[in-house]
Amino acid sequence: MTGHHQALALCLFSTFVAVTLAITTWVGRNRQGSAEEFYAGGRLFSPMENGFAIAGDYVSAASFLGVPGLIALFGYDGLLYVVGFLVAWLVVLFLVAELVRNCGRFTLADVVAARMRERPVRIAAGTSSVTVCVLYLVAQMVGAGSLVALLLGGTSAAARVWTVIGVGALMVIYVSMGGMRATTWIQIVKAVLLLAGTVALTVLVLVRFHGDFDRLLLTAAERSGHGDAFLAPGLKYGRDWTARFDFFSLGLALVLGTAGLPHILSRFYTVPTARAARRSALWSIGLIGGFYLMTIVLGFGAAAIVGPQAIRGSNAAGNTAIPLLALDLGGGADSTGGTVFFAVLAAVAFATILAVVAGITLASSAAVAHDLYASLRRGRARRHSEVAVARVASVGIGAAAIALGLLARDLNVAFLVGLAFAVAASANLPALLYSLFWRGFTTRGAVWAVYGGLVPALVLVALSPVVSGSPESLFPGLDFQYFPLRNPGLVSIPMGFLAGWLGTVTSSETPDEAKHAETEVRSLTGAGAV
């Protein structure tokens, strides 16, 4: 990268950071300091605003950087992420959005604990929520490091380290100063920028091939070095039965994981009614669906125009396919158009990372304060002290995400998000669905459902090729790989549901019929909702 590239991109980075910090400062000066304001933005957002914010929250570095990179490297098999991320929203729309908005207040634990003994359920759900959020944050940190390494020529390890630290510091500032309202507006701005950049890039790819999508696919297959196999299933997930089971595991995690993501569920509390929550989901599905359709064009476009070899040479995991594609479409590395387009797309990607980490950090700090802290204080925590704890918690969560992000810097960001989805689907979703739809569900069942999915998911990841036993592992020099799959969802998700059922049927607790009836009426009609 030339000094001109670096200067322009860094200028655009700085502009976005300055604008978002101004938003945060302005919102921070006008906030009331209440828990409802900090956690839910006063519940004042319209369905359209919240829909754009959800899209900004959901379309992360994994979607913008990781998914096109996987399509560019593995062709058809990379499309699994597109299908999984999009189909997951049908689960959210039909099973979760309205019911969660009616039953909860700020967090996932509010819904699960509505008819249980609150303390053990809140501790379990809060612990799970923080774990999922930290895993998700790691992916964003890795994306930020890859992006700036490309900007600086890929030669400075120190630059990647300081980038990850800088992103962590900014996300702490956004959350601690501005809360949900500032985070929401940052996500709306980011969603508009991202969709505009993606549309422009998609149009340029199609123009390059004169609108002939068949020609685009054939060129991508030719440059991939795999021929027709690039356009058929099995290049990444069809080598053997282990790879095929990994395919099933990843697909299951992606489709079921979204409904258990704390930062997505918390967005439904920022609108005034359940109807607004459902309309928010519809807006987000439209925006997210359009984006993922364009990533298909961008992924195959990167393979056809840049080439998988060049992408791997820049970043082995494929995380830099989009910036390299923008550079080529703009006219090349030495052209003014290439410089400008690369800088704009790199800045949009950086904005994507900053907005998403702010939303995730807010959700995780809310889980620490509203669920863990309030439970350990046995209900004596006041709302203003909860908010103070949430601000402090954002610092600790940021530090953990920075450390893990530096450790996992060579993994694909979409793959890392797949792990977070697997943990969310294993630990959060069983407890959530059982509490909403099973009349006989008990406190023991809720606690067992959470830990019965969370612990196996984390243990299986630790014993998988992700951590040791292969050159691409976090610790390539070690080998304690005993679980063959890279994603644990195929095993850990059924274990979460099984543990919730087993805990309930072995419990001596008598389900509270009155509370269940109250929860059912509230979830379906909105009567008594906050």
Side-chain angles (χ1 to χ4, degrees), residues 192-271:
V192 172
L193 292 175
L194 179 66
L195 290 169
T198 306
V199 168
L201 203 56
T202 302
V203 168
L204 288 176
V205 169
L206 293 175
V207 167
R208 174 71 67 92
F209 290 90
H210 307 289
D212 190 343
F213 193 67
D214 285 345
R215 183 182 168 196
L216 167 62
L217 295 178
L218 292 174
T219 305
E222 182 181 345
R223 292 205 64 181
S224 71
H226 297 287
D228 291 341
F230 189 72
L231 303 178
L235 190 61
K236 180 175 175 62
Y237 294 110
R239 296 185 304 274
D240 50 36
W241 277 105
T242 299
R244 293 172 188 173
F245 279 122
D246 225 348
F247 175 89
F248 296 140
S249 187
L250 178 61
L252 192 64
L254 294 180
V255 170
L256 298 179
T258 300
L261 293 176
H263 66 291
I264 297 298
L265 295 177
S266 66
R267 291 238 53 92
F268 295 118
Y269 298 126
T270 64
V271 290

Side-chain angles (χ1 to χ4, degrees), residues 148-207:
V148 173
L150 175 64
L151 176 66
L152 300 178
T155 58
S156 176
R160 295 181 72 174
V161 171
W162 284 108
T163 300
V164 171
I165 294 173
V167 170
L170 282 170
M171 75 185 188
V172 170
I173 293 172
Y174 291 149
V175 172
S176 60
M177 289 182 60
M180 178 59 85
R181 188 169 296 189
T183 299
T184 299
W185 282 111
I186 290 168
Q187 287 160 346
I188 292 171
V189 172
K190 167 253 177 157
V192 172
L193 292 175
L194 179 66
L195 290 169
T198 306
V199 168
L201 203 56
T202 302
V203 168
L204 288 176
V205 169
L206 293 175
V207 167

Side-chain angles (χ1 to χ4, degrees), residues 168 237 305 506:
Y237 294 110
I305 295 171
T506 60

Side-chain angles (χ1 to χ4, degrees), residues 39-41 43-47 49-58 89 97 100-101 105-108 179-188 261-273 276-278 280-281 284 355-356 358-360 362-363:
Y39 293 142
R43 310 187 200 280
L44 298 175
F45 292 100
S46 70
E49 290 169 345
N50 198 42
F52 270 88
I54 291 172
D57 217 350
Y58 190 69
W89 276 95
V100 164
R101 175 61 187 86
R105 183 174 174 85
F106 302 125
T107 65
L108 166 71
M180 178 59 85
R181 188 169 296 189
T183 299
T184 299
W185 282 111
I186 290 168
Q187 287 160 346
I188 292 171
L261 293 176
H263 66 291
I264 297 298
L265 295 177
S266 66
R267 291 238 53 92
F268 295 118
Y269 298 126
T270 64
V271 290
T273 64
R278 188 175 184 83
S280 297
S284 63
V356 172
I360 301 169
L362 180 60

Side-chain angles (χ1 to χ4, degrees), residues 275-368:
R275 183 185 179 194
R278 188 175 184 83
R279 291 174 62 196
S280 297
L282 291 172
W283 269 99
S284 63
I285 288 172
L287 296 170
I288 293 166
F291 170 81
Y292 280 120
L293 287 176
M294 290 187 285
T295 61
I296 298 173
V297 177
L298 299 184
F300 284 113
I305 295 171
V306 180
Q309 289 74 25
I311 294 171
R312 282 194 179 94
S314 171
N315 182 274
N319 293 330
T320 54
I322 288 296
L324 290 175
L325 178 62
L327 188 63
D328 195 294
L329 289 173
D334 299 322
S335 67
T336 301
T339 299
V340 171
F341 205 30
F342 169 85
V344 169
L345 266 294
V348 168
F350 200 68
T352 294
I353 292 166
L354 287 179
V356 172
V357 298
I360 301 169
T361 305
L362 180 60
S364 54
S365 60
V368 170

